[in-house]
Each structure stands twice: as C-alpha cells, then as structure tokens.
Amino acid sequence: MAFPRLASIFSRGSRYRPFLRDFSLTLFGIATWVPVCIFINQHVGELTFINGASMYPYLNTGYNNSTRKDIGYTSKWNSFHNLERGMIVTFWSPDHPEVLAVKRVIALPGDKVYTRAPYPYPTAIVPSGHVWVEGDNRDREASKDSNYYGPISMSLITGKVTHVLYPWSSFGSVKWWEFKGKTRVIKARE
Amino acid sequence: MTFQKYVLGPLRSLQTRYGGHPFRLFIAVGKTCALAHVFTEFGYIINPASGASMLPTFEVLGDHLLISKLHRKGRGVEIGDIVSFDSVAEPGERVIKRVLGLPGDYVLKDTPGSGSSEMIQVPAGHCWVIGDNLPYSRDSRMFGPIPLALIKGKVIAKVLPWDERRWIENDLKPVNVSPST
C-alpha cells in the first residue's frame, strides 16, 4: 500500500471499503501521471491530427474521398531552432490565436520570396526571426499561408512534424530535404 | 526522545519507502517537477523583468513580476493590461509591454508628437503593444501589431522588491471631460 493514510481518508464510513479504496488509489495513481504527459506533449513530442487540405497532396492525400485524418508525430524539442527550408512545422495561426496550423517552411530569414496572389507585393524579403510558410496545396482557397498573412514569427512555431504515422502507405519520416518547391526563393545562405 | 519521534521516525519511514527503491524516488521527483511545470505553464509564475522600456512602471533591474498564464494567447486581455509575450523578431526572448490596441482598433502608428498622425487598424488576431517609456522602447511602432498567440500571460502583481509589492491595476481609465468647463 503506497498511501496508507490517504487510503483511510477515502474509505472512511463506507460499506464498500476495499473496493472504494482500491479504486480511488488506482485513480490517484493514474492522475499523478497526467502532469508528466502534459510535460512530454509540450516539450518532447506529440501526435498531431492533420486537418484540411492545405498540405495536399503530401498530407491528407485522400481528403476528398474520405473523412480520415492523417496522424503525424510532432517533435517539440527546440521547436524554432535549426529550421530548414522544406520542413513541415506546426504553429499558432497569426490571425486565430487558438488555431494550430501545419505548413511547410519555404524561406528563412534574409531570403527573397516571389509571392503569390493575395500578397500585395511581388516579392518579399523575410525579416530576421521570421520564416515564410506555405501549404503544399497551390489552391489559394485551400491554404491560407504566408501569401495571405505575410512572414510569421519563429516564436509562433510549436514543433516540427518529423514522422507520418497513420496512413500506413505513407508511414515513415518526413524527408524534408527532398522537397522541391515551386515557389521561387533567392536564398540568403545555404 | 522528541528528536527521535519527529525527525528520526519520519526519516526512517522515508528511507523504507524510497531508500530501497531509488527508481521509485526518481519517479516521484519527476512527477512532482511535472506538476510544478503544469502550474507555472498554465497557472501562475514569478519572473524577473529587466530593461528600461517599462519605466516608470517597472525598474530597469531587480523587479520580479507575478504573471497569470490564464491570460495566455490574449484570453481576456483588455486595453491597458501589461502582458508578457515572446519577442517577434528574436525567438526565445520574453518581453513585457502594455496592450494599447486590440483587433479592429485604430491606433497611432508612430510616437505621439512625432509629426505623423497616421492611424492603422489592428488586424484580426493581433494586438498593439507599447512600452511605457516611449523613447527607450522597441515595440509595435517598430515591428507592427503582434499576434495574440505570442502572449504568454498578463502581469498581475509586482512581488519583489518586497517593499514595493503591489497589484498591477489597469491604469488606463476613460477620461471624464465635462463639456461645461
């Protein structure tokens, strides 16, 4: 018995003494693990369910013929360090503070990006501490990305999607270094 | 006798509970730290603040502030509240400024009295943050409106130095101007 005194509090005045005691102790034992899980989810890694078509065709490949969502593994360790072009990141949407978005890093600080339609200028230079993110879906309606709200602050980034877990067909690590984007970027550094 | 009863006794029971099981002690310490982390992440935390940008409200060095994380991501933040947020241009830096505009508000783009009276509208999901010490503050006048998602908490009290402890009230009140005078 791990907590004899606590157990006596729980079971006082009850007819179902042993059951109630065992039950509440088990519940308490489970509850003590909740903060540990929260810590791991915040700082180590988390399962991420991909919503919407913004990363089609790479993620949610079957978004238009099934309701199934892809599941990814997001690494939360050093979330905004060592970012590279082509990495898939999760970040808090700049215009909706409670919405987590998943997009691909297209350009790093100092890079010059040739922008697309909703953006007011033909090119943009990414300021320091910011990245340019775009969805893989070229459809403007499907992906609200940096062409819509501009470069995002790295502080908004919560993690990098490093693995795809669920559709078994695409199970494996995200090979971001193989990504060839259609957006033209003049790199400030390699 | 008393020493044996109140010190040695509990120590021995601790030893029998954890002494033979270093792994169990390790797990218990880890769980406790995780619980403290959850409290500081989602509840309240006391953080030191430094810098001249919030003079005269906060000193340049040595002030410790109680920050309520219940207001993270700008939940329930109003104009005049002092918030702590992640720096826009320098990831990893934590900044403290005063909120002077919420989504939809029109704000003065430059310093008052600078000659420019251009106003801009704060976009959806953003806010306008300004330091109290206008000449020595890098704030929304330079980097524009910041996303509400960057806000980590609201400053609710100054706790250290202990002699200067006080609750941080929202100082920004509507001015009563009677038309007769």
Side-chain angles (χ1 to χ4, degrees):
Chain A
M1 188 55 61
F3 307 95
R5 279 179 204 153
L6 205 60
S8 73
I9 293 172
F10 280 127
S11 60
R12 192 170 293 157
S14 165
R15 289 202 295 127
Y16 308 100
R17 226 162 257 185
F19 170 73
L20 206 60
R21 189 180 61 196
D22 287 357
F23 188 64
S24 25
L25 266 181
T26 312
L27 276 189
F28 183 77
I30 295 173
T32 57
W33 284 102
V34 171
V36 179
C37 296
I38 293 178
F39 179 85
I40 291 174
N41 274 351
Q42 278 226 315
H43 296 288
V44 181
E46 192 174 35
L47 296 187
T48 308
F49 291 81
I50 314 289
N51 285 313
S54 91
M55 286 303 284
Y56 176 89
Y58 191 80
L59 295 173
N60 276 358
T61 312
Y63 81 95
N64 48 6
N65 52 27
S66 95
T67 56
R68 168 201 83 184
K69 288 171 185 163
D70 284 16
I71 303 174
Y73 173 78
T74 310
S75 162
K76 301 275 187 101
W77 203 255
N78 283 344
S79 54
F80 54 76
H81 294 100
N82 308 324
L83 286 173
E84 298 288 347
R85 300 173 196 89
M87 279 184 174
I88 301 177
V89 292
T90 59
F91 58 94
W92 297 110
S93 170
D95 45 0
H96 297 101
E98 308 283 346
V99 177
L100 200 64
V102 179
K103 299 269 182 286
R104 204 185 275 275
V105 175
I106 298 296
L108 297 174
D111 292 358
K112 186 179 185 183
V113 187
Y114 286 81
T115 63
R116 289 210 308 276
Y119 201 73
Y121 308 106
T123 60
I125 290 177
V126 184
S128 79
H130 288 65
V131 288
W132 188 271
V133 289
E134 281 181 5
D136 284 2
N137 200 333
R138 303 289 287 182
D139 184 1
R140 194 192 307 166
E141 299 298 318
S143 172
K144 255 172 85 177
D145 50 26
S146 277
N147 289 305
Y148 178 80
Y149 42 63
I152 63 156
S153 169
M154 283 186 191
S155 298
L156 288 170
I157 294 177
T158 62
K160 305 174 185 112
V161 180
T162 56
H163 295 80
V164 177
L165 301 183
Y166 174 51
W168 306 120
S169 51
S170 48
F171 183 92
S173 67
V174 173
K175 297 185 177 59
W176 53 267
W177 52 89
E178 291 174 0
F179 173 74
K180 294 274 184 294
K182 291 192 184 105
T183 308
R184 208 176 136 211
V185 178
I186 296 176
K187 297 173 183 172
R189 61 170 180 84
E190 272 311 310
Chain B
M1 193 65 198
T2 333
F3 179 75
Q4 272 200 339
K5 189 179 172 189
Y6 289 108
V7 180
L8 287 185
L11 270 182
R12 194 167 300 129
S13 83
L14 269 182
Q15 193 191 4
T16 46
R17 185 174 294 172
Y18 296 120
H21 305 274
F23 188 67
R24 196 183 278 178
L25 175 65
F26 177 75
I27 294 278
V29 169
K31 280 176 175 176
T32 314
C33 291
L35 187 64
H37 166 263
V38 166
F39 182 78
T40 58
E41 197 78 1
F42 301 106
Y44 300 90
I45 191 172
I46 294 176
N47 268 352
S50 63
S53 75
M54 283 304 278
L55 281 170
T57 316
F58 302 130
E59 293 301 321
V60 175
L61 208 61
D63 278 1
H64 285 62
L65 310 173
L66 179 64
I67 293 167
S68 158
K69 296 286 184 75
L70 304 176
H71 296 81
R72 64 185 180 277
K73 292 195 255 168
R75 292 173 190 168
V77 165
E78 292 173 4
I79 289 181
D81 286 343
I82 301 174
V83 292
S84 153
F85 59 93
D86 282 339
S87 167
V88 183
E90 292 156 32
E93 297 283 314
R94 199 55 69 78
V95 196
I96 285 175
K97 296 271 185 281
R98 196 183 288 273
V99 174
L100 287 187
L102 288 173
D105 293 350
Y106 283 90
V107 290
L108 193 62
K109 190 166 161 284
D110 297 300
T111 317
S114 68
S116 152
S117 59
E118 191 186 342
M119 311 274 292
I120 63 167
Q121 189 177 21
V122 181
H126 286 66
C127 66
W128 193 261
V129 286
I130 298 287
D132 284 1
N133 189 5
L134 286 176
Y136 287 93
S137 171
R138 265 190 295 152
D139 45 36
S140 282
R141 290 170 295 165
M142 284 83 182
F143 48 70
I146 65 156
L148 284 171
L150 290 182
I151 294 182
K152 293 296 171 243
K154 173 175 139 184
V155 179
I156 54 172
K158 176 165 153 178
V159 284
L160 284 178
W162 187 243
D163 295 341
E164 299 165 20
R165 66 189 182 275
R166 63 187 175 93
W167 296 104
I168 304 289
E169 306 285 342
N170 193 337
D171 302 331
L172 228 59
K173 298 268 166 27
V175 186
N176 281 319
V177 183
S178 52
S180 57
T181 58

